[in-house]
Amino acid sequence: MISTNPFVSGKYLIGGDWIAADKTANVINPADHNEVVGEVALCSKEHISKAVETAALAYEEWSQSEIKDRADRMRQAANEIKTLVEENVTLLVRENGKVLVEAKKDLLRCVDIMREAADELLEWWKPEVLPGNQKVQIRKRSRGVTAVISPWNSPMILTFKRVIPAVLAGNTVVVKPATSCPLTIMTFLKVVASYFPKGVINVVTGSGKIIGDALCANPTVRTIAFVGSTQTGKEIMRAASGTVKNIYMELGGNDAAIVLEDANLDEEAIKRLRLGVLRAAGQVCSAVKRIYVHESRYEELVQKLKKEFQHLRVGNGIQPDVDMGPLNNKSQYDYVKGLIERAGETGATVFTGGIQLDPESWDKGFYILPTIITGAGQSSEIVQAEQFGPVIPILRFTDVKEAVKLANDSEFGLRASVWTEDESVAVQLADRLEAGAVFHNNHTVFQDLHLDFPGLKESGLSRETRHCGLEFFADSYGFAD
Ligand code: NAD
């Protein structure tokens, strides 16, 4: 049964036209493989070139548009998007696997992104006059065609956080969502695109491995905003290296949580830690992916977390009483399953918690119960790799210096957290942890749209920390009088 919005299913958008693709693939529901949610267009390299060309043509006028006009259009689009949240929230659950409340939050956040970025634009775009003897202004101008490539785990937010500021800053965009859940993005971008001149927003889909180069190596593309895995990030850098582009990357993570001897491990703290690990079934770039706990608190933490995991209801996110849904796709499911199995085979202890809400239909979904691994070594695969699933290794340490060393022993550097009653100790550790952001007694995502710290090391490149991301999508230039 194909039951999604027929206007976007199996189509791509170029220059205001939604075009049915010759080749498509099914988008399936990760909670029930038998449900085909819709189709995704498998675009060719020629389609990509056409989309870039069209965006370049639209850029000529859009880059000259009035700032206020851009902001007005975006606010009007946001008002319509808000009215579409209720009717489309189940689509996001069905193609992504998120639980309903999380999916709704994500969609509403897209409305905030649009409104806040539109408000911010008006102030941010104003020229800044520098102090000094010479009269110099810093002015801004748009850059050109922008490629936005996004992953499947939080498809809406991670796409909107780039597309919206890029368009507001006067660029035109070619968006490439992930193949396993493009439909909600396309349904919403269809509406957003209708508020802007044709060609300002274009959407193409298909295997990144096949069409990625056509987008990233294209000399007309001036900016690439990519969120996804580190490996793909490197491939994109290679493809883009023939031309000098602005590249913004938010990549993989292997966040460490360090639990100190004096940590408060009450019910609330355990719940926060559990959410840090298991939000969206662990498919969050900045989820806790390793826990290091002081040896004196090790047993206590392991027991408390096991108890917490045991009560979680796992099932189809569409049901109201579900705590955790399935993984998004088969390859991620196989990968996480493999990690758990190999951890067990190499001598670690595997604890499986959770409650199967609907055991009869369990085999139809990509479900993995919340899992705790103990007894794994620092160099083991489950500790070193990014699991991106509902499984957490817990390791012990004897002194704080060792804990920092273990946490930093990773190619990644996205986020970290320190759990202690002493804030000054938390700050001291934060200064030594190689992470783009460090949380104290929590491990979460930033709610404030002005706060977004890309990772260090192999977790990211460039910073768009303030002004709702606008900073990254325009060039600043000096004007001297
Ligand atoms: P992925 O890298 O496999 O794919 C991301 C996007 O890139 C998809 O649209 C894909 O089709 C496309 N792509 C793949 N190969 C490409 C190529 N050669 N050229 C151009 N595009 C290509 O990532 P994923 O599996 O969709 O997402 C999970 C990963 O994303 C995890 O590693 C996670 O940590 C990371 N992530 C990071 C952040 C962050 O903010 N740092 C946020 C979310 C997800």
Side-chain angles (χ1 to χ4, degrees):
M1 179 189 64
I2 293 180
S3 50
T4 194
N5 184 341
F7 295 106
V8 300
S9 183
K11 296 184 181 171
Y12 56 96
L13 169 67
I14 296 184
D17 295 324
W18 286 89
I19 304 157
D22 297 338
K23 285 192 189 163
T24 59
N26 287 339
V27 176
I28 60 164
N29 183 342
D32 178 356
H33 315 155
N34 298 328
E35 188 196 349
V36 177
V37 185
E39 290 179 339
V40 58
L42 299 178
C43 291
S44 65
K45 292 184 178 183
E46 290 69 35
H47 296 140
I48 306 301
S49 304
K50 179 83 186 142
V52 173
E53 231 172 80
T54 305
L57 212 61
Y59 177 72
E60 287 174 22
E61 284 202 16
W62 181 243
S63 57
Q64 302 308 311
S65 59
E66 294 291 328
I67 302 302
K68 185 173 173 312
D69 175 46
R70 295 181 204 165
D72 287 347
R73 287 171 188 261
M74 194 60 83
R75 287 199 198 96
Q76 284 164 21
N79 292 343
E80 186 173 346
I81 289 290
K82 175 113 196 253
T83 67
L84 300 176
V85 168
E86 283 301 335
E87 67 187 89
N88 285 290
V89 67
T90 54
L91 175 60
L92 182 55
V93 175
R94 283 163 54 229
E95 66 171 338
N96 177 272
K98 275 177 193 284
V99 298
L100 211 50
V101 273
E102 288 291 330
K104 189 166 174 187
K105 258 197 232 166
D106 282 11
L107 296 184
L108 288 172
R109 196 157 161 82
C110 289
V111 178
D112 293 342
I113 289 168
M114 296 169 80
R115 289 182 174 157
E116 288 190 29
D119 289 348
E120 183 80 24
L121 177 72
L122 299 174
E123 199 47 43
W124 179 76
W125 198 265
K126 287 181 186 160
E128 182 192 347
V129 179
L130 294 184
N133 298 335
Q134 205 180 352
K135 198 173 152 203
V136 178
Q137 294 178 25
I138 302 219
R139 302 181 62 84
K140 302 189 173 81
R141 71 172 154 239
S142 53
R143 195 178 284 143
V145 178
T146 300
V148 176
I149 304 173
S150 54
W152 45 258
N153 66 313
S154 277
M156 289 301 293
I157 292 177
L158 296 172
T159 305
F160 270 57
K161 272 178 92 175
R162 273 91 212 163
V163 170
I164 300 308
V167 167
L168 281 169
N171 306 286
T172 52
V173 293
V174 177
V175 188
K176 205 221 76 64
T179 316
S180 66
C181 60
L183 298 168
T184 323
I185 292 174
M186 304 212 328
T187 302
F188 278 55
L189 283 184
K190 181 172 194 294
V191 175
V192 179
S194 71
Y195 283 83
F196 294 88
K198 288 181 179 175
V200 170
I201 296 176
N202 306 276
V203 188
V204 291
T205 47
S207 159
K209 300 242 173 294
I210 295 170
I211 58 173
D213 276 13
L215 191 55
C216 302
N218 190 315
T220 304
V221 172
R222 300 300 319 136
T223 304
I224 300 173
F226 170 72
V227 185
S229 65
T230 298
Q231 192 194 332
T232 304
K234 290 177 183 176
E235 282 164 25
I236 288 176
M237 284 172 87
R238 268 194 290 275
S241 65
T243 57
V244 178
K245 300 185 195 307
N246 291 276
I247 302 185
Y248 170 68
M249 294 201 166
E250 293 205 16
L251 307 174
N254 192 3
D255 293 9
I258 298 180
V259 180
L260 299 185
E261 202 171 357
D262 71 334
N264 177 354
L265 295 180
D266 66 6
E267 223 173 282
E268 257 310 299
I270 293 293
K271 185 177 164 204
R272 285 198 300 276
L273 189 54
R274 181 258 290 172
L275 281 171
V277 175
L278 294 179
R279 188 177 284 113
Q283 300 164 108
V284 177
C285 53
S286 55
V288 178
K289 292 176 182 147
R290 304 171 279 159
I291 299 176
Y292 297 101
V293 52
H294 187 267
E295 57 186 356
S296 67
R297 306 296 298 280
Y298 178 84
E299 278 309 325
E300 178 191 354
L301 178 75
V302 170
Q303 291 317 318
K304 284 184 170 170
L305 217 49
K306 279 184 178 175
K307 199 168 155 212
E308 180 78 11
F309 276 26
Q310 232 151 9
H311 300 298
L312 297 175
R313 293 155 303 185
V314 184
N316 188 334
I318 215 94
Q319 292 170 271
D321 49 355
V322 171
D323 297 308
M324 199 180 95
L327 300 198
N328 172 257
N329 56 70
K330 175 140 177 32
S331 69
Q332 189 60 24
Y333 171 81
D334 289 342
Y335 169 68
V336 178
K337 274 264 177 212
L339 280 178
I340 296 171
E341 276 163 21
R342 288 191 293 278
E345 283 160 12
T346 49
T349 305
V350 177
F351 166 84
T352 310
I355 300 162
Q356 298 180 348
L357 254 194
D358 193 0
E360 297 82 59
S361 46
W362 192 254
D363 289 341
K364 286 195 231 151
F366 300 128
Y367 294 113
I368 293 183
L369 289 166
T371 302
I372 292 172
I373 308 276
T374 49
Q378 172 68 10
S379 58
S380 64
E381 185 188 22
I382 190 69
V383 175
Q384 287 296 325
E386 178 186 32
Q387 63 271 51
F388 221 56
V391 49
I392 185 76
I394 308 181
L395 290 84
R396 60 180 102 209
F397 67 85
T398 46
D399 70 66
V400 174
K401 222 169 150 189
E402 181 197 3
V404 172
K405 199 168 166 209
L406 292 169
N408 287 343
D409 172 29
S410 166
E411 73 214 47
F412 298 108
L414 195 56
R415 313 261 190 268
S417 57
V418 180
W419 301 68
T420 171
E421 287 301 272
D422 188 336
E423 192 183 331
S424 66
V425 171
V427 176
Q428 279 169 32
L429 258 64
D431 284 344
R432 289 152 58 194
L433 284 166
E434 295 164 355
V438 179
F439 295 100
H440 178 209
N441 291 341
N442 210 343
H443 199 117
T444 183
V445 287
F446 288 105
Q447 298 304 321
D448 185 337
L449 291 171
H450 294 255
L451 300 174
D452 188 6
F453 299 88
L456 309 182
K457 294 154 83 176
E458 293 203 355
S459 285
L461 201 62
S462 18
R463 306 223 151 223
E464 49 123 307
T465 53
R466 290 182 300 138
H467 307 297
C468 300
L470 289 162
E471 246 174 17
F472 187 73
F473 295 101
D475 286 329
S476 293
Y477 69 98
F479 175 77
D481 220 349

